[in-house]
């Protein structure tokens, strides 16, 4: 709800322009009242791409912080990349993420997400084992070829 988004925004504002960070939507951040029945979210209203400065390289879909790729130069001059992915990443998200990893070259990359794999190694999908709307397209067998 709006009060929770306000608290999150206010808390993260302490980092704005000081420490690079990323955000991503979890299952309670999407859908009407956080029910994860669709991917609608208030995330971009509270955390627009303009808030993230020069470390933000790309977003997917374009202009949305649902998925983001950041490149940060550390105090010792080394680059670190951060790949933040939505709850239960869709196939097109995985494809975009893989293209970001390819473009990053040898940049050490941290991947963050709310849910990616089940304990049995299957890709997490909206709707698996829960009362949620089915994910469009098949993505259970996909993986990141560039991730070890």
């Amino acid at each position: 709800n709006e009060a929770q988004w306000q608290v999150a925004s206010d808390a993260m504002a302490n980092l704005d322009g000081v420490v690079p960070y990323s955000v991503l939507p979890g299952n309670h951040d999407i859908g009407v009242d956080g029910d994860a029945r669709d991917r609608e979210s208030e995330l971009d209203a509270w955390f627009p791409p303009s808030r993230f400065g020069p470390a933000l390289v790309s977003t997917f879909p374009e202009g949305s912080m649902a998925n983001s790729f950041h490149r940060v130069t550390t105090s010792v001059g080394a680059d670190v990349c951060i790949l933040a992915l939505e709850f239960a990443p869709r196939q097109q998200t995985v494809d975009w993420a893989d293209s970001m990893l390819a473009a990053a070259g040898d940049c050490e990359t941290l991947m963050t997400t709310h849910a990616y794999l089940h304990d049995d190694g299957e890709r997490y999908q909206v709707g698996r084992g829960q009362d949620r709307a089915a994910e469009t397209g098949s993505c259970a067998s996909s993986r990141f070829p560039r991730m070890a």
Side-chain angles (χ1 to χ4, degrees):
N1 65 36
E2 186 170 341
Q4 292 171 329
W5 283 109
Q6 186 67 61
V7 168
S9 179
D10 290 348
M12 297 306 282
N14 293 306
L15 302 178
D16 289 346
V18 179
V19 177
Y21 67 95
S22 64
V23 295
L24 57 91
N27 58 310
H28 294 287
D29 301 318
I30 60 175
V32 177
D33 296 322
D35 65 8
R37 292 187 187 278
D38 61 40
R39 295 198 179 261
E40 294 299 315
S41 177
E42 292 294 314
L43 179 71
D44 295 323
W46 293 94
F47 295 94
S50 60
R51 187 168 173 168
F52 292 87
L56 180 61
V57 174
S58 181
T59 61
F60 182 81
E62 187 175 334
S64 172
M65 292 303 295
N67 302 284
S68 59
F69 189 78
H70 309 255
R71 190 176 196 119
V72 178
T73 302
T74 67
S75 60
V76 296
D79 281 355
V80 175
C81 292
I82 302 163
L83 178 62
L85 302 180
E86 66 194 357
F87 167 71
R90 298 165 283 185
Q91 184 59 51
Q92 64 261 38
T93 300
V94 172
D95 294 344
W96 168 83
D98 193 50
S99 73
M100 292 294 99
L101 293 171
D106 62 356
C107 184
E108 293 289 330
T109 302
L110 305 170
M111 184 178 85
T112 59
T113 188
H114 181 73
Y116 182 68
L117 292 177
H118 284 280
D119 57 4
D120 62 5
E122 291 273 333
R123 256 284 290 292
Y124 199 96
Q125 297 180 64
V126 171
R128 180 178 174 214
Q130 56 192 349
D131 184 24
R132 303 275 192 247
E135 180 71 6
T136 56
S138 174
C139 56
S141 63
S142 63
R143 61 183 178 83
F144 288 102
R146 289 175 180 75
M147 280 279 193

